[in-house]
Amino acid sequence: MTTIAQPTPTLPAPQTLAARRIAELGPRARLCGLYDALGAPLYQDLTTYDDYETRAVLAGIRSTRGPVLDLAAGAGRFSLPLLAVGREVTALDLSADMLALLRTELEKVPARMRERCTVVQADMSAFDLGRRFPYVLLGTTSLSLLDADGRAGLYRSVLDHLTDDGKFLLTVMERGDADGPDETVERLTGLGGTVYEFHEHWPAGAAGRTVTLLPADPPADDSPVPVCTDHVAVVDLSRLEAELSAAGLTVVSRQILTQPGERHRVTLLTTEASR
Ligand SMILES: C[S@@+](CC[C@H](N)C(=O)[O-])C[C@H]1O[C@@H](n2cnc3c(N)ncnc32)[C@H](O)[C@@H]1O
């Protein structure tokens, strides 16, 4: 089996609340990435299947028929609802741990739904599945996980997998508030009832943001506490559109999925191969 390296967790900047929380935990803190063996279950616990992005993606594919390639599919936030509405789905992800969670979810659904799903461990910046799709999806603003070379490889790979009239849909996240704080902390409740702190350090104009996820109320003992941290690049929309165009992908529609003034402005782009 091929072993694919996972990125190592990135520590939040020393002045942040997230860094203070890690220091308070001391040796109890088990630093991990969001998508590795320790972090993936926390990420999945916070997954929702009925949010603005999933609804927009499902609405977007109604105009096409046929199989869907879900890139950076994770534990199946989009793949599972797509299977539920009758689509054939190829779910591709780099993380064996995320794909293990997806396989567990697939075991819970009816066989006729599970059989329409192909699970592939691969790098979205260089993949070769030997077939084409009318619809390729890269949601959850996961494009930001790739550097410039990785994005160039992604565009090449996507073009090699799109049918002649195929569509590549992707979401991108920018700062939507002009004067919001550099750091925010949200309390989020997972499906299993655990309450988490989600820290984001994203100074306006910065080239990246650091996200940190940890249980808000760890037990008052010496047990280990998972702390997921990742540094994620920020790609602004105009730069992304220029990259897509240079790579041979034309943007045919733009849909802002969030409300004006929200900290996260998420745009869904629909693209197709330039003719
Ligand atoms: C933000 S999560 C999104 C997962 C899923 N789409 C969702 O919405 O829950 C990003 C996913 O990208 C995957 N990933 C990171 N780098 C990747 C790469 N180079 N190729 C494929 N998948 C990658 C991670 O393992 C993770 O599952």
Side-chain angles (χ1 to χ4, degrees):
M1 189 185 126
T2 315
T3 304
I4 301 181
Q6 287 292 304
T8 45
T10 314
L11 275 174
Q15 77 278 17
T16 58
L17 286 171
R20 203 180 312 155
R21 291 286 288 123
I22 292 170
E24 282 163 10
L25 287 168
R28 294 183 69 192
R30 294 286 184 276
L31 292 180
C32 58
L34 276 169
Y35 316 122
D36 62 19
L38 207 52
L42 275 72
Y43 182 88
Q44 192 201 16
D45 194 29
L46 289 168
T47 297
T48 56
Y49 298 100
D50 181 27
D51 58 285
Y52 64 82
E53 193 179 355
T54 311
R55 286 194 293 273
V57 162
L58 288 173
I61 69 153
R62 283 206 193 101
S63 61
T64 61
R65 289 186 179 280
V68 179
L69 172 57
D70 182 13
L71 296 175
R77 174 167 151 235
F78 302 117
S79 293
L80 291 165
L82 287 165
L83 290 164
V85 295
R87 308 305 285 252
E88 184 201 326
V89 176
T90 297
L92 181 151
D93 200 282
L94 184 60
S95 161
D97 299 301
M98 294 299 281
L99 292 177
L101 293 172
L102 171 59
R103 288 194 176 96
T104 303
E105 291 305 309
L106 287 170
E107 285 306 313
K108 298 178 192 163
V109 304
R112 65 175 192 287
M113 190 168 144
R114 179 166 60 244
E115 283 156 7
R116 275 187 274 107
C117 189
T118 306
V119 177
V120 178
Q121 189 188 6
D123 187 335
M124 63 179 155
S125 62
F127 59 92
D128 180 5
L129 304 178
R131 58 179 290 204
R132 290 180 181 266
F133 297 80
Y135 189 90
V136 178
L137 166 67
L138 177 57
T140 332
T141 71
S142 298
L143 177 91
S144 57
L145 299 170
L146 298 176
D147 61 16
D149 286 347
R151 293 197 298 277
L154 167 80
Y155 307 144
R156 276 195 301 276
S157 298
V158 167
L159 280 165
D160 286 346
H161 289 79
L162 275 182
T163 56
D164 285 349
D165 56 353
K167 305 249 184 303
F168 172 42
L169 272 78
L170 69 164
T171 47
V172 61
M173 185 196 286
E174 300 169 290
R175 277 286 294 263
D177 55 346
D179 50 7
D182 287 356
E183 189 178 14
T184 54
V185 186
E186 267 183 278
R187 281 173 77 89
L188 305 169
T189 304
L191 295 172
T194 304
V195 179
Y196 299 92
E197 276 178 20
F198 181 75
H199 296 244
E200 179 186 70
H201 184 236
W202 185 357
R209 61 194 182 105
T210 305
V211 292
T212 306
L213 178 69
L214 72 164
D217 306 301
D221 56 23
D222 290 338
S223 57
V225 180
V227 181
C228 313
T229 75
D230 266 323
H231 186 75
V232 184
V234 172
V235 188
D236 71 58
L237 195 53
S238 52
R239 176 168 164 205
L240 173 61
E241 291 205 19
E243 281 184 7
L244 288 165
S245 165
L249 285 155
T250 301
V251 176
V252 293
S253 83
R254 298 167 191 84
Q255 184 187 355
I256 297 178
L257 302 183
T258 43
Q259 299 301 314
E262 278 188 50
R263 180 175 177 84
H264 296 156
R265 183 171 58 223
V266 177
T267 305
L268 173 64
L269 293 179
T270 303
T271 71
E272 56 189 31
S274 310
R275 291 170 215 285

